[in-house]
Amino acid sequence: MNLYTEPLIRLAYYYVKDRQAAEDIVQEVFIKIYHAQYKYEERGELKAFLYKMTANKSKDYLKSWTYKKVQLQKIFPSTIKIDSDGLVRKDEQTIVGDAILELPLKHREVLIYYYFNDMKISEIALLLSTPESTIKTRLRRGKELLKDVLKDIEWEVLLNG
C-alpha cells in the first residue's frame, strides 16, 4: 500500500478531477484486492493490476449518479462563492496540470500513463487493451491538443531565463 497509494491517487485524480473521490477510489481498490487476494494470480505485475483496477473504478465513478450529482451542483451552486485568489497567478505546473485535466479522457489517460507514470507505449497498450498504434496516435494528438491550449501563455521560466 505504501508503495502504490500516491501514484494510484494521482491516477484516479486525473480521471475524476476530485482529490477526495480519488482517495475513495484507491481505498476501494485496496479493499477489493485485500478481500480477493486469494483470487489474484501472479500472471503479471501487481503494479499493472492495481493501475487497471484504479482506472476501471475511476471510469465507473464517472458513470455513477454520485458524479453526475456533483457535476450538477457545480453548474447550479447553492451559494455564490467569491474567488479571493482570482488575482493570484498560478504557477506553471498548475497551469499544465489544469490543461491536462481539460483534455478528453482518451488523450488525458495516455499522457498521464506515459509522462507521469513513466510507462512504455507497449505497457499502456496492454493496460488499456488497445493497439500500440492507437496509443501512439492518442499520445501525439494529446500533445498537440495540450500545445494548442498552452500556446498563448507567457511562461515565467522563459521570460526570466
Side-chain angles (χ1 to χ4, degrees), residues 27-147:
Q27 183 177 9
E28 286 179 37
V29 167
F30 282 125
I31 289 170
K32 188 172 183 174
I33 204 161
Y34 175 78
H35 288 299
Q37 61 186 336
Y38 60 90
K39 292 181 184 175
Y40 174 69
E41 298 174 17
E42 191 68 42
R43 287 185 281 170
E45 268 193 66
L46 177 62
K47 176 182 174 182
F49 183 68
L50 289 171
Y51 274 60
K52 183 76 168 181
M53 283 183 66
T54 303
N56 287 341
K57 281 275 187 202
S58 299
K59 289 174 185 176
D60 290 345
Y61 175 79
L62 292 175
K63 296 175 193 170
S64 73
W65 168 244
T66 305
Y67 173 73
K68 291 175 183 167
K69 184 176 164 187
V70 168
Q71 293 307 102
L72 282 174
Q73 288 174 349
K74 287 180 182 175
I75 294 171
F76 302 108
S78 57
T79 60
I80 297 172
K81 295 181 181 177
I82 298 171
D83 185 17
S84 61
D85 294 332
L87 299 177
V88 178
R89 187 185 173 287
K90 293 180 179 180
D91 65 347
E92 280 87 359
Q93 207 170 28
T94 304
I95 293 169
V96 172
D98 289 347
I100 289 172
L101 290 175
E102 295 303 315
L103 295 176
L105 181 60
K106 65 183 181 181
H107 299 110
R108 181 177 14 156
E109 69 184 347
V110 172
L111 286 171
I112 291 164
Y113 285 132
Y114 190 78
Y115 289 107
F116 294 99
N117 296 325
D118 296 322
M119 295 176 76
K120 297 175 184 157
I121 290 174
S122 58
E123 293 172 324
I124 299 168
L126 185 65
L127 186 66
L128 298 177
S129 303
T130 307
E132 285 187 34
S133 59
T134 303
I135 298 300
K136 289 177 186 175
T137 302
R138 288 180 183 176
L139 187 60
R140 181 181 45 77
R141 183 68 182 126
K143 288 191 283 188
E144 288 170 1
L145 290 170
L146 194 57
K147 187 177 178 181

Side-chain angles (χ1 to χ4, degrees), residues 13-24:
Y13 178 79
Y14 283 123
Y15 276 98
V16 301
K17 303 178 188 180
D18 178 359
R19 175 73 181 192
Q20 188 63 47
E23 289 174 357
D24 292 345

